[in-house]
Amino acid sequence: MTKQNNTKTKKKPYQKPQLKKWGSLKDLTQSMSASGGPDPTTPGTKMMCLSVPAEIEEHRLLVGDPVSNRGLRDQIEAIVEPGDRVVDIGAGTGILSFFAVEAGAGHVDAIEMRPIVNLARAAADQNGFGDKITFHGADSENLELAQKADVLISNLGFLNTLLSLPDAIERLLKPGGKYFPTAIQLEFAPIDVKGVQTPSIQFWKQEHHGYDLSAFMSMAQHPYYQTFEPETFLGDTLAVEPVEITANLPDYFEWSFTSKITKSGTLAGLAGYYNYFRDDVCYINQTPPNALERSIWGGFVLPLVSQVEVKPGDVMNVSLEFRLADNAVWRWKIELNGKVLGDHSNIGSVWPVS
């Protein structure tokens, strides 16, 4: 029989870390930009989060995707004329700003609120663009520029485009100036449970550790990001009316459509994704299958709380609402053959499931 070691080790008293260079731990983790805020004594290289590698990993995927960068570069080359003043919103690594300089821009104001702006500035110097690009460590909505731009470029994703671009068009772009995206179009398709990668709702329906935790299921009624295999779609993909990006963008959108089920399966909700346009040119097309970097370019699922078996010929009617806010609100109502399967939102059910 093995004798247990009952030796007790005295715990060392906790000592709060002293971050002499950066200030307090709270200051380090809560800084919102590399510019360090209004206090001029704040170090310019201060990080906003201890988990910095996640941010650079995102940019590795963005920079490393040849398909999306070809589309973005094509649009920059199409609208930037020699000597143009360009504003790059959410500049990140500065890649789009580099494209703009090579397209003939006279000067680029690159706006990026995250700490990577310092490295982007260094990369611009390394590549000989330092005299052509001014980097601003700030939120574009809080920034005033001495001169308005002839061209505004951005690659912000769906929600951040809707939140940031209208203000930039109004304040930072000359009247009649060019910009992209000018529109974002959403497409939707019914998706089989086999194509759902994040089974959150089903998780909370089950008992865990002997407890009923289904009370948390309403929080799982939330769109979640994933990529798609088109063979898991149970019907045709349908495009809804595009969101036109303008200075006076509304804060509420609604769409409705009818989709016929074309194959048997278990309906788990709606697959959705975005296509980005400059005028009539779709420069980033996420319709699956595509050659975009899957880890960064994907879509989202609007899930059903109650999954249901479907067969070819079934008719699905969908009503969608989207309210633009810092925490955007989605609502999706799905009917199958005239019966309501679910009326959900990302803040919980609107009405009980019939």
Side-chain angles (χ1 to χ4, degrees), residues 279-292:
D279 300 331
D280 294 330
V281 178
C282 181
Y283 62 91
I284 295 180
N285 187 337
Q286 296 193 72
T287 303
N290 59 62
L292 293 163

Side-chain angles (χ1 to χ4, degrees), residues 127-323:
N127 288 277
F129 299 133
D131 61 336
K132 292 280 190 176
I133 306 173
T134 300
F135 286 89
H136 304 270
D139 186 332
S140 64
E141 295 184 12
N142 299 326
L143 184 66
E144 297 290 341
L145 296 176
Q147 298 182 52
K148 290 193 174 185
D150 303 287
V151 175
L152 191 155
I153 61 179
S154 68
N155 182 24
L156 295 170
F158 176 68
L159 182 57
N160 284 333
T161 293
L162 303 191
L163 289 172
S164 298
L165 214 55
D167 173 76
I169 293 168
E170 175 70 23
R171 296 190 307 105
L172 306 180
L173 186 66
K174 292 177 181 177
K178 301 172 185 176
Y179 63 93
F180 67 79
T182 58
I184 303 175
Q185 187 168 44
L186 286 77
E187 295 185 358
F188 293 94
I191 188 170
D192 187 81
V193 67
K194 294 177 182 177
V196 174
Q197 298 169 8
T198 310
S200 182
I201 289 175
Q202 302 310 309
F203 176 88
W204 293 110
K205 277 186 172 182
Q206 302 164 8
E207 276 196 1
H208 296 282
H209 312 291
Y211 303 119
D212 179 355
L213 301 179
S214 60
F216 297 96
M217 195 167 59
S218 64
M219 290 183 69
Q221 295 170 198
H222 196 288
Y224 52 83
Y225 176 89
Q226 70 163 71
T227 55
F228 299 117
E229 302 296 341
E231 57 267 25
T232 65
F233 291 170
L234 297 174
D236 294 333
T237 299
L238 296 170
V240 298
E241 185 177 354
V243 177
E244 303 290 343
I245 312 298
T246 64
N248 56 350
L249 185 79
D251 63 1
Y252 175 80
F253 305 87
E254 58 182 344
W255 303 276
S256 61
F257 59 88
T258 298
S259 176
K260 285 189 177 181
I261 301 298
T262 58
K263 63 176 73 171
S264 297
T266 303
L267 180 65
L270 289 175
Y273 48 88
Y274 320 103
N275 293 327
Y276 294 82
F277 286 81
R278 181 187 61 84
D279 300 331
D280 294 330
V281 178
C282 181
Y283 62 91
I284 295 180
N285 187 337
Q286 296 193 72
T287 303
N290 59 62
L292 293 163
E293 167 56 57
R294 292 173 62 88
S295 299
I296 202 72
W297 294 104
F300 58 93
V301 171
L302 299 175
L304 279 170
V305 169
S306 299
Q307 300 170 353
V308 64
E309 298 298 316
V310 295
K311 63 185 184 303
D314 286 344
V315 177
M316 185 180 71
N317 291 304
V318 177
S319 299
L320 297 171
E321 297 178 45
F322 174 73
R323 187 170 298 280

Side-chain angles (χ1 to χ4, degrees), residues 66-89:
V67 177
S68 62
N69 281 294
R70 183 68 261 173
L72 291 160
R73 192 169 201 165
D74 284 347
Q75 298 317 301
I76 290 171
E77 292 174 350
I79 62 176
V80 173
E81 298 182 2
D84 274 351
R85 193 167 191 97
V86 175
V87 167
D88 181 2
I89 304 289

Side-chain angles (χ1 to χ4, degrees), residues 13-126:
Y14 172 75
Q15 292 183 340
K16 186 176 181 180
Q18 298 297 314
L19 302 175
K20 295 180 181 179
K21 183 178 179 182
W22 304 109
S24 70
L25 187 62
K26 181 177 179 182
D27 288 341
L28 175 64
T29 57
Q30 291 190 355
S31 294
M32 292 306 294
S33 78
S35 61
D39 182 358
T41 64
T42 304
T45 55
K46 196 172 188 182
M47 296 298 183
M48 69 174 178
C49 178
L50 289 175
S51 57
V52 176
E55 180 181 345
I56 196 62
E57 182 68 6
E58 174 190 359
H59 288 291
R60 179 184 71 82
L61 295 169
L62 285 168
V63 171
D65 182 11
V67 177
S68 62
N69 281 294
R70 183 68 261 173
L72 291 160
R73 192 169 201 165
D74 284 347
Q75 298 317 301
I76 290 171
E77 292 174 350
I79 62 176
V80 173
E81 298 182 2
D84 274 351
R85 193 167 191 97
V86 175
V87 167
D88 181 2
I89 304 289
T93 58
I95 290 295
L96 299 193
S97 296
F98 299 175
F99 293 166
V101 172
E102 292 199 327
H107 191 83
V108 180
D109 286 297
I111 305 171
E112 172 56 58
M113 67 181 290
R114 295 189 290 180
I116 199 168
V117 69
N118 288 323
L119 304 181
R121 186 182 293 113
D125 290 339
Q126 287 173 335

